[in-house]
Amino acid sequence: MRTGLSATEVAERVAAGRTNAFTQETSRSVWSIVRANVLTLFNGIILACFLVLLAIGRWQDALFGFSAIANAVIGSVQEFRAKRSLDRLALLNSPSARVLRDGVEADIEVGDVVMDDLIVLRAGDQVPADALVVETHGLQVDESMLTGESDAVEKSVDDRVLSGSTFVAGEGCAVVDRVGADSFANSLSTEAKRFSLIASELRSSINRVLKWVTWIVGPVALLVLNAQMNAVGGWSDATSSGAWRDAATATIAAIVAMVPLGLVLMTSISFAAGAVKLARKQVLVQELPAVEALARVDLICLDKTGTLTQGDIVFDAVHPIREQAGWERVLAWYGVQSDANATARSLTARFTDQPEVAPTDRIAFSSARKWSAVVFPDGMWILGGPEMVFPATTDDAGRRELAAEAERLAATGRRTLVLAHGTPTTDETVPHDAVPVALLTFREDIRPDAAETLAYFAAQEVGVRIISGDNPQTVAAIARDVGLDAPSGFDARNLPDDDDALLRVLDEHLVFGRVTPDQKRRIVVALRRAGHTVAMTGDGVNDALAIKEADIGIAMNSGAAATKAVARLILLDGRFSHLPSVVAEGRQVIANIERVSMLFLTKTAYATFLAIVFGILMLPFPFLPRQLSISDGLTIGLPAFFLALLPNAQRYIPGFLRRSLSFAVPAGLAVTLGITAYARLAAGLGVPEAEVRTGSTLILTLIGLWILVVLSRPVTRFKGAVIGVMMVALVVVYTVPIARDFLQFVDLTLPTALLVLGTSLVSIALIEIVRFAHRRIARRDEERMVAQRAAK
């Protein structure tokens, strides 16, 4: 009998550092968070402009530098707080390993495994460290996460099992021979289980905008600098007189206004805040951008057991078929095995009298064949799905009767198994002389929140597919109990091999039974290929492959370690009712960021257009950096913090960047036309430069506040309060002497005031036209999305 290492031997290995301890980040490291928020190209541009202004003695115009620092600090702190919350949850729910020490089986942390430990392996376990098999009873390993091969590999004595792989069938023992950083999975890729990037439309769209701005900021800066140098007397005179400082200050004002710094910050904060809010609801987000991906889900695939049902299976009844001595003791043996699943363990409530002799052989349960077997001196006993053990044939009346009775029981929503007896085989097949002894039925309690949750998905036009390894009629009966229109279930053994034909079947049926793990994955892949954004939930190891392939994999915390390892989200308390909150949180993030992005991109658009227009027309740039800073703060920066975190149930519609730019670009043109017209008319009236700048800043702030009003519609009390505070702040900075002096604001003469008012009203009217056209574009996008979903 194997006893494993002794306590003394374990202590020696720990002292020698021969443990499996290996630092594995569950989210981004502190350094990567700081680097992402601080060491960016745009922060470099801002820093360079900041230092130039300090060097030429214009510190008053360097306010944007402190704003950029605040953005970086706030972004880092917010994301670090999210990291700390998620890491704490991940630590509380970290995987464990099962080892044999001093003859006693114990669950320990993966990092506490030491060299030469004897690890106990069962279906659903993930291998904690590289090891050599020393004992096996039908061990089958899924190494797809390491090798990409999806087929399970059967392991014999002296075969190697690699850390990161998963056992899908059988049981056995293995001796650890490589630990920590030396193990295969860790040496292959330490990034595999660390912070990874998933498809994020928000992030990719924002990165595209940043790339565009990066390419044009240099040429635009040169264009503006040339115009400003000529506006103060030409390069030669400006250099000799010192007027070049004014030209440099104006150029920096143009450059800084083009950079959408806050947009990146708001996106990071929204992701982090969404993850923390979900964590409070016992939903662990393994990757922050997964919060956004939730908004795009239009079809969710559910496993029945542990998702629609509680997962606690209760033995129901025996339906005898023929007399066969010893069958009750065989069922008692099944119930107490170390690798017994929930169904087998429920047998112990009824069957307690164990066999008097030990079995001579056994065949472990497999998700693919859906039966297991044990050999006693009196023959081979098989326990499994009736249609899998005894496929119905037209020329066998007995099998047809058995299948009909099993279908009748399954249609009541009860899980049905058959116990059969026959002559032992040597090739892990059902004996040709096997005969059914009894049908066994089991009950599952439906989750009380399942019907309400599925009703939510129906209302949100999120499609549902139930894919389970159970009898199709059993699954269909439970689906009907939770409100789905499922007259019958489709037997996955009849799924077509052709992908197009498979999609047609998936469109016609909601419930699928007798689905193998590989078929679950194939279903998810086919749905994604058809254009769906697919979420997959499950708790068993047979769900791991499909969860890995889904856009968003969702695992129950009570599920297998392998399933949780590949999931994007983990429901820590296993409550299916959290899923509506999860989807709603994703929709809030993407809808609010779309609204906020239109604010920031409008600023980038008009700043770029103004720089180009004033550069071409050789006009003095009508703002100081400090004046742009206060305008940006009142119309974009401060309101964006509130808007980004407000509740928002708007459904996701593809085309985030196109829609944002379809508002930002024409709105930016409207602002540019207004400011340019004002500057030209003011110059024609001989308005002093300080008054021109004051009027320009006032126009820009008024238009910016109106854009804020437009994008906040419908304006709730809270939004109205935020906008009201910004308007009060505008009055304060224009009336309080200290603020006026610092910002170099002057009183406007009547002609200038009328010009400011007229320009503002015309620009606001243009903004309303832009918004009207933009809403029509958004409506067309929504109609197109509805049509595409209907076509699917």
Side-chain angles (χ1 to χ4, degrees):
M1 180 178 176
R2 302 182 187 278
T3 60
L5 297 177
S6 66
T8 302
E9 291 171 324
V10 171
E12 289 174 352
R13 285 160 175 76
V14 171
R18 303 172 71 191
T19 71
N20 202 39
F22 182 76
T23 302
Q24 193 85 271
E25 296 287 351
T26 56
S27 58
R28 286 208 284 184
S29 66
V30 175
W31 166 241
S32 67
I33 289 174
V34 172
R35 185 176 59 215
N37 284 279
V38 177
L39 302 182
T40 66
L41 174 63
F42 285 136
N43 278 349
I45 294 173
I46 294 297
L47 177 62
C49 293
F50 180 75
L51 294 176
V52 168
L53 289 176
L54 290 183
I56 63 177
R58 298 293 179 88
W59 62 268
Q60 301 93 333
D61 287 309
L63 289 178
F64 60 83
F66 298 105
S67 176
I69 292 171
N71 281 354
V73 171
I74 292 170
S76 298
V77 170
Q78 286 279 8
E79 196 165 346
F80 176 74
R81 289 177 63 187
K83 167 191 164 58
R84 189 172 56 184
S85 298
L86 300 180
D87 286 354
R88 189 181 300 121
L89 284 173
L91 180 62
L92 293 174
N93 295 275
S94 58
S96 59
R98 193 181 296 109
V99 299
L100 197 64
R101 291 177 177 174
D102 286 322
V104 178
E105 188 177 301
D107 285 332
I108 63 173
E109 292 186 11
V110 169
D112 292 336
V113 173
V114 300
M115 186 74 79
D116 302 321
D117 246 331
L118 185 63
I119 52 176
V120 181
L121 307 170
R122 294 178 188 139
D125 290 347
Q126 195 169 31
V127 184
D130 295 1
L132 294 173
V133 176
V134 295
E135 184 178 323
T136 174
H137 298 285
L139 274 179
Q140 292 183 3
V141 185
D142 170 26
E143 297 179 338
S144 61
M145 295 180 204
L146 302 176
T147 65
E149 296 293 334
S150 60
D151 294 336
V153 180
E154 189 158 344
K155 294 294 182 180
S156 303
V157 174
D158 292 333
D159 283 349
R160 179 176 293 282
V161 289
L162 303 174
S163 56
S165 56
T166 305
F167 287 98
V168 296
E171 63 176 349
C173 296
V175 174
V176 174
D177 68 341
R178 286 201 299 241
V179 293
D182 294 331
S183 65
F184 180 80
N186 292 331
S187 62
L188 180 66
S189 175
T190 58
E191 299 293 328
K193 296 181 182 177
R194 207 188 288 178
F195 179 86
S196 59
L197 299 180
I198 64 175
S200 167
E201 184 183 2
L202 287 180
R203 185 179 52 220
S204 60
S205 298
I206 291 170
N207 286 343
R208 199 177 310 153
V209 171
L210 298 182
K211 184 177 180 181
W212 293 341
V213 174
T214 301
W215 278 103
I216 66 174
V217 70
V220 170
L222 293 175
L223 179 66
V224 174
L225 179 61
N226 179 64
Q228 301 315 300
M229 292 293 279
N230 281 283
V232 293
W235 284 83
S236 178
D237 290 345
T239 304
S240 60
S241 65
W244 65 269
R245 290 183 174 85
D246 295 329
T249 302
T251 303
I252 288 173
I255 295 172
V256 170
M258 292 171 58
V259 179
L261 279 175
L263 182 55
V264 179
L265 172 69
M266 287 297 104
T267 305
S268 297
I269 288 178
S270 296
F271 282 162
V276 171
K277 284 168 67 178
L278 290 175
R280 295 194 187 108
K281 298 179 181 179
Q282 295 298 295
V283 178
L284 174 60
V285 181
Q286 305 258 51
E287 303 175 27
L288 293 183
V291 176
E292 174 220 328
L294 295 167
R296 296 186 277 117
V297 169
D298 65 354
L299 195 148
I300 183 167
C301 296
L302 308 172
D303 179 45
K304 173 182 69 68
T305 304
T307 304
L308 295 182
T309 62
Q310 300 277 22
D312 50 347
I313 298 174
V314 179
F315 178 74
D316 177 57
V318 176
H319 307 270
I321 297 175
R322 71 178 70 241
E323 286 294 329
Q324 184 73 42
W327 66 271
E328 291 177 311
R329 292 186 176 185
V330 170
L331 292 177
W333 178 89
Y334 267 110
V336 298
Q337 297 310 297
S338 58
D339 62 341
N341 57 24
T343 304
R345 288 195 300 271
S346 70
L347 294 169
T348 58
R350 167 74 181 275
F351 306 100
T352 57
D353 191 10
Q354 293 292 318
E356 296 178 354
V357 296
T360 57
D361 196 8
R362 64 174 298 190
I363 300 175
F365 177 81
S366 163
S367 296
R369 60 172 171 261
K370 300 193 184 303
W371 58 263
S372 61
V374 60
V375 178
F376 284 100
D378 64 344
M380 182 175 180
W381 295 87
I382 306 99
L383 182 65
E387 68 275 27
M388 307 300 289
V389 178
F390 295 109
T393 56
T394 55
D395 58 348
D396 190 324
R399 289 196 176 188
R400 290 201 305 274
E401 290 177 7
L402 175 69
E405 177 63 10
E407 287 290 306
R408 185 187 69 79
L409 294 171
T412 66
R414 287 177 286 181
R415 174 178 289 186
T416 307
L417 298 180
V418 67
L419 179 67
H421 181 266
T423 304
T425 60
T426 58
D427 56 356
E428 295 191 356
T429 59
V430 176
H432 67 278
D433 62 348
V435 292
V437 176
L439 284 171
L440 310 172
T441 53
F442 304 82
R443 289 182 287 105
E444 294 182 78
D445 293 331
I446 295 175
R447 290 183 179 272
D449 50 18
E452 182 181 350
T453 303
L454 291 178
Y456 167 85
F457 286 130
Q460 296 297 313
E461 298 180 358
V462 176
V464 174
R465 298 293 183 274
I466 312 296
I467 50 180
S468 173
D470 281 351
N471 182 287
Q473 306 317 317
T474 300
V475 185
I478 291 176
R480 289 192 294 272
D481 287 343
V482 295
L484 289 181
D485 182 15
S488 63
F490 188 91
D491 194 324
R493 291 174 297 174
N494 299 322
L495 284 175
D497 294 328
D498 179 70
D499 288 344
D500 292 335
L502 173 62
L503 280 174
R504 286 194 292 271
V505 172
L506 292 173
D507 286 338
E508 295 168 0
H509 298 272
L510 297 182
V511 174
F512 299 84
R514 294 304 179 208
V515 187
T516 65
D518 193 60
Q519 284 177 321
K520 287 187 178 184
R521 177 173 62 178
R522 185 170 170 239
I523 287 172
V524 169
V525 170
L527 291 170
R528 290 186 65 192
R529 191 179 294 124
H532 290 287
T533 301
V534 181
M536 171 73 195
T537 71
D539 63 346
V541 67
N542 59 324
D543 301 315
L545 295 176
I547 283 177
K548 180 183 176 185
E549 292 291 345
D551 293 283
I552 293 293
I554 305 171
M556 305 295 176
N557 193 43
S558 58
T563 307
K564 292 187 288 185
V566 297
R568 307 288 191 187
L569 305 174
I570 298 176
L571 304 182
L572 297 177
D573 57 4
R575 291 178 58 187
F576 180 55
S577 58
H578 287 319
L579 291 184
S581 299
V582 168
V583 173
E585 189 62 43
R587 289 183 172 180
Q588 174 179 317
V589 167
I590 198 167
N592 283 341
I593 288 300
E594 180 167 339
R595 175 184 291 162
V596 168
S597 72
M598 285 191 273
L599 281 174
F600 283 101
L601 294 180
T602 298
K603 186 200 82 165
T604 297
Y606 70 64
T608 304
F609 294 148
L610 284 171
I612 293 173
V613 169
F614 277 73
I616 293 173
L617 297 178
M618 297 288 185
L619 292 173
F621 199 68
F623 304 100
L624 291 173
R626 70 188 84 173
Q627 294 167 342
L628 281 176
S629 295
I630 199 67
S631 177
D632 289 349
L634 293 179
T635 62
I636 301 172
L638 293 175
F641 272 99
F642 299 101
L643 294 180
L645 302 176
L646 285 177
N648 195 326
Q650 178 181 320
R651 295 177 186 175
Y652 165 76
I653 303 172
F656 154 75
L657 183 58
R658 184 177 66 85
R659 248 185 342 272
S660 295
L661 292 177
S662 68
F663 175 84
V665 172
L669 283 172
V671 174
T672 303
L673 288 173
I675 297 294
T676 304
Y678 164 77
R680 291 298 298 268
L681 291 173
L685 294 173
V687 176
E689 186 176 24
E691 193 173 344
V692 172
R693 287 175 174 168
T694 301
S696 297
T697 308
L698 186 57
I699 293 171
L700 184 61
T701 308
L702 289 173
I703 299 174
L705 286 172
W706 193 259
I707 291 173
L708 179 61
V709 170
V710 165
L711 295 179
S712 297
R713 293 172 183 163
V715 179
T716 61
R717 288 183 179 180
F718 182 79
K719 294 177 186 174
V722 172
I723 296 168
V725 169
M726 297 303 107
M727 290 181 174
V728 170
L730 173 62
V731 173
V732 169
V733 298
Y734 270 90
T735 56
V736 174
I738 295 178
R740 282 169 52 90
D741 293 343
F742 178 79
L743 295 170
Q744 293 191 9
F745 289 155
V746 297
D747 291 329
L748 301 180
T749 60
L750 181 60
T752 306
L754 292 174
L755 190 57
V756 167
L757 179 61
T759 304
S760 300
L761 291 175
V762 171
S763 298
I764 286 172
L766 291 175
I767 294 297
E768 285 293 339
I769 295 172
V770 169
R771 182 56 171 167
F772 175 78
H774 177 261
R775 290 181 68 84
R776 296 194 63 178
I777 292 173
R779 203 157 37 241
R780 281 202 302 269
D781 282 354
E782 187 171 4
E783 291 170 354
R784 189 182 302 114
M785 181 191 70
V786 172
Q788 288 174 347
R789 287 187 175 180
K792 292 176 184 178

mmCIF file of all heavy atoms in Angstrom, residues 678-697:
data_model
loop_
_atom_site.group_PDB
_atom_site.id
_atom_site.type_symbol
_atom_site.label_atom_id
_atom_site.label_comp_id
_atom_site.label_asym_id
_atom_site.label_seq_id
_atom_site.Cartn_x
_atom_site.Cartn_y
_atom_site.Cartn_z
ATOM 1 N N TYR A 678 -15.487 83.723 -35.445
ATOM 2 C CA TYR A 678 -15.371 84.725 -34.387
ATOM 3 C C TYR A 678 -14.008 85.410 -34.449
ATOM 4 O O TYR A 678 -13.908 86.650 -34.370
ATOM 5 C CB TYR A 678 -15.562 84.074 -33.019
ATOM 6 C CG TYR A 678 -15.092 84.934 -31.867
ATOM 7 C CD1 TYR A 678 -15.857 86.012 -31.404
ATOM 8 C CD2 TYR A 678 -13.855 84.682 -31.259
ATOM 9 C CE1 TYR A 678 -15.406 86.811 -30.369
ATOM 10 C CE2 TYR A 678 -13.408 85.475 -30.220
ATOM 11 C CZ TYR A 678 -14.181 86.541 -29.769
ATOM 12 O OH TYR A 678 -13.726 87.344 -28.747
ATOM 13 N N ALA A 679 -12.923 84.619 -34.585
ATOM 14 C CA ALA A 679 -11.573 85.193 -34.602
ATOM 15 C C ALA A 679 -11.384 86.132 -35.797
ATOM 16 O O ALA A 679 -10.788 87.213 -35.667
ATOM 17 C CB ALA A 679 -10.533 84.077 -34.634
ATOM 18 N N ARG A 680 -11.900 85.720 -36.980
ATOM 19 C CA ARG A 680 -11.751 86.578 -38.162
ATOM 20 C C ARG A 680 -12.558 87.879 -38.015
ATOM 21 O O ARG A 680 -12.065 88.966 -38.301
ATOM 22 C CB ARG A 680 -12.227 85.820 -39.411
ATOM 23 C CG ARG A 680 -11.328 84.654 -39.817
ATOM 24 C CD ARG A 680 -9.921 85.105 -40.182
ATOM 25 N NE ARG A 680 -9.913 85.994 -41.330
ATOM 26 C CZ ARG A 680 -9.774 85.587 -42.592
ATOM 27 N NH1 ARG A 680 -9.608 84.301 -42.851
ATOM 28 N NH2 ARG A 680 -9.740 86.459 -43.576
ATOM 29 N N LEU A 681 -13.789 87.759 -37.527
ATOM 30 C CA LEU A 681 -14.625 88.948 -37.355
ATOM 31 C C LEU A 681 -14.067 89.867 -36.270
ATOM 32 O O LEU A 681 -14.066 91.105 -36.420
ATOM 33 C CB LEU A 681 -16.065 88.530 -36.996
ATOM 34 C CG LEU A 681 -16.847 87.844 -38.124
ATOM 35 C CD1 LEU A 681 -18.178 87.317 -37.598
ATOM 36 C CD2 LEU A 681 -17.074 88.812 -39.281
ATOM 37 N N ALA A 682 -13.573 89.263 -35.185
ATOM 38 C CA ALA A 682 -12.993 90.067 -34.105
ATOM 39 C C ALA A 682 -11.745 90.804 -34.593
ATOM 40 O O ALA A 682 -11.514 91.974 -34.245
ATOM 41 C CB ALA A 682 -12.660 89.177 -32.913
ATOM 42 N N ALA A 683 -10.925 90.113 -35.407
ATOM 43 C CA ALA A 683 -9.730 90.766 -35.959
ATOM 44 C C ALA A 683 -10.127 91.921 -36.868
ATOM 45 O O ALA A 683 -9.489 92.997 -36.866
ATOM 46 C CB ALA A 683 -8.885 89.739 -36.716
ATOM 47 N N GLY A 684 -11.213 91.718 -37.641
ATOM 48 C CA GLY A 684 -11.678 92.788 -38.520
ATOM 49 C C GLY A 684 -12.193 93.994 -37.754
ATOM 50 O O GLY A 684 -12.094 95.132 -38.227
ATOM 51 N N LEU A 685 -12.724 93.759 -36.545
ATOM 52 C CA LEU A 685 -13.220 94.857 -35.702
ATOM 53 C C LEU A 685 -12.111 95.482 -34.862
ATOM 54 O O LEU A 685 -12.359 96.438 -34.126
ATOM 55 C CB LEU A 685 -14.336 94.341 -34.776
ATOM 56 C CG LEU A 685 -15.640 93.891 -35.460
ATOM 57 C CD1 LEU A 685 -16.575 93.260 -34.429
ATOM 58 C CD2 LEU A 685 -16.306 95.072 -36.147
ATOM 59 N N GLY A 686 -10.901 94.934 -34.966
ATOM 60 C CA GLY A 686 -9.774 95.453 -34.196
ATOM 61 C C GLY A 686 -9.851 95.142 -32.714
ATOM 62 O O GLY A 686 -9.335 95.895 -31.889
ATOM 63 N N VAL A 687 -10.481 94.000 -32.362
ATOM 64 C CA VAL A 687 -10.597 93.606 -30.953
ATOM 65 C C VAL A 687 -9.215 93.220 -30.430
ATOM 66 O O VAL A 687 -8.472 92.481 -31.094
ATOM 67 C CB VAL A 687 -11.577 92.422 -30.806
ATOM 68 C CG1 VAL A 687 -11.635 91.947 -29.348
ATOM 69 C CG2 VAL A 687 -12.958 92.821 -31.302
ATOM 70 N N PRO A 688 -8.825 93.679 -29.237
ATOM 71 C CA PRO A 688 -7.512 93.329 -28.681
ATOM 72 C C PRO A 688 -7.359 91.816 -28.488
ATOM 73 O O PRO A 688 -8.345 91.103 -28.280
ATOM 74 C CB PRO A 688 -7.496 94.058 -27.330
ATOM 75 C CG PRO A 688 -8.488 95.158 -27.476
ATOM 76 C CD PRO A 688 -9.554 94.650 -28.388
ATOM 77 N N GLU A 689 -6.107 91.363 -28.519
ATOM 78 C CA GLU A 689 -5.832 89.924 -28.450
ATOM 79 C C GLU A 689 -6.371 89.305 -27.168
ATOM 80 O O GLU A 689 -6.946 88.206 -27.178
ATOM 81 C CB GLU A 689 -4.327 89.666 -28.556
ATOM 82 C CG GLU A 689 -3.988 88.179 -28.629
ATOM 83 C CD GLU A 689 -2.505 87.935 -28.820
ATOM 84 O OE1 GLU A 689 -1.702 88.823 -28.453
ATOM 85 O OE2 GLU A 689 -2.151 86.870 -29.346
ATOM 86 N N ALA A 690 -6.215 89.981 -26.016
ATOM 87 C CA ALA A 690 -6.700 89.432 -24.748
ATOM 88 C C ALA A 690 -8.212 89.252 -24.779
ATOM 89 O O ALA A 690 -8.753 88.266 -24.256
ATOM 90 C CB ALA A 690 -6.293 90.346 -23.594
ATOM 91 N N GLU A 691 -8.918 90.202 -25.419
ATOM 92 C CA GLU A 691 -10.374 90.107 -25.508
ATOM 93 C C GLU A 691 -10.788 88.989 -26.478
ATOM 94 O O GLU A 691 -11.782 88.298 -26.247
ATOM 95 C CB GLU A 691 -10.954 91.448 -25.956
ATOM 96 C CG GLU A 691 -12.457 91.553 -25.777
ATOM 97 C CD GLU A 691 -12.979 92.945 -26.077
ATOM 98 O OE1 GLU A 691 -12.163 93.904 -26.135
ATOM 99 O OE2 GLU A 691 -14.203 93.085 -26.255
ATOM 100 N N VAL A 692 -9.996 88.833 -27.556
ATOM 101 C CA VAL A 692 -10.264 87.735 -28.502
ATOM 102 C C VAL A 692 -10.148 86.394 -27.782
ATOM 103 O O VAL A 692 -11.001 85.504 -27.937
ATOM 104 C CB VAL A 692 -9.292 87.791 -29.694
ATOM 105 C CG1 VAL A 692 -9.443 86.530 -30.558
ATOM 106 C CG2 VAL A 692 -9.533 89.027 -30.534
ATOM 107 N N ARG A 693 -9.084 86.225 -26.982
ATOM 108 C CA ARG A 693 -8.890 84.967 -26.254
ATOM 109 C C ARG A 693 -9.990 84.734 -25.229
ATOM 110 O O ARG A 693 -10.492 83.611 -25.061
ATOM 111 C CB ARG A 693 -7.523 84.972 -25.571
ATOM 112 C CG ARG A 693 -6.361 84.796 -26.533
ATOM 113 C CD ARG A 693 -5.039 84.935 -25.826
ATOM 114 N NE ARG A 693 -3.917 84.624 -26.717
ATOM 115 C CZ ARG A 693 -2.645 84.878 -26.438
ATOM 116 N NH1 ARG A 693 -2.322 85.474 -25.283
ATOM 117 N NH2 ARG A 693 -1.701 84.551 -27.291
ATOM 118 N N THR A 694 -10.392 85.802 -24.532
ATOM 119 C CA THR A 694 -11.467 85.663 -23.553
ATOM 120 C C THR A 694 -12.752 85.215 -24.240
ATOM 121 O O THR A 694 -13.441 84.288 -23.771
ATOM 122 C CB THR A 694 -11.704 86.991 -22.821
ATOM 123 O OG1 THR A 694 -10.506 87.397 -22.175
ATOM 124 C CG2 THR A 694 -12.809 86.855 -21.793
ATOM 125 N N GLY A 695 -13.089 85.874 -25.349
ATOM 126 C CA GLY A 695 -14.297 85.505 -26.090
ATOM 127 C C GLY A 695 -14.229 84.100 -26.645
ATOM 128 O O GLY A 695 -15.209 83.343 -26.604
ATOM 129 N N SER A 696 -13.069 83.721 -27.175
ATOM 130 C CA SER A 696 -12.899 82.367 -27.721
ATOM 131 C C SER A 696 -13.102 81.313 -26.639
ATOM 132 O O SER A 696 -13.764 80.289 -26.864
ATOM 133 C CB SER A 696 -11.507 82.221 -28.348
ATOM 134 O OG SER A 696 -11.339 83.096 -29.439
ATOM 135 N N THR A 697 -12.515 81.545 -25.460
ATOM 136 C CA THR A 697 -12.658 80.590 -24.365
ATOM 137 C C THR A 697 -14.106 80.493 -23.913
ATOM 138 O O THR A 697 -14.613 79.399 -23.618
ATOM 139 C CB THR A 697 -11.765 80.991 -23.178
ATOM 140 O OG1 THR A 697 -10.432 81.192 -23.635
ATOM 141 C CG2 THR A 697 -11.777 79.923 -22.107
#
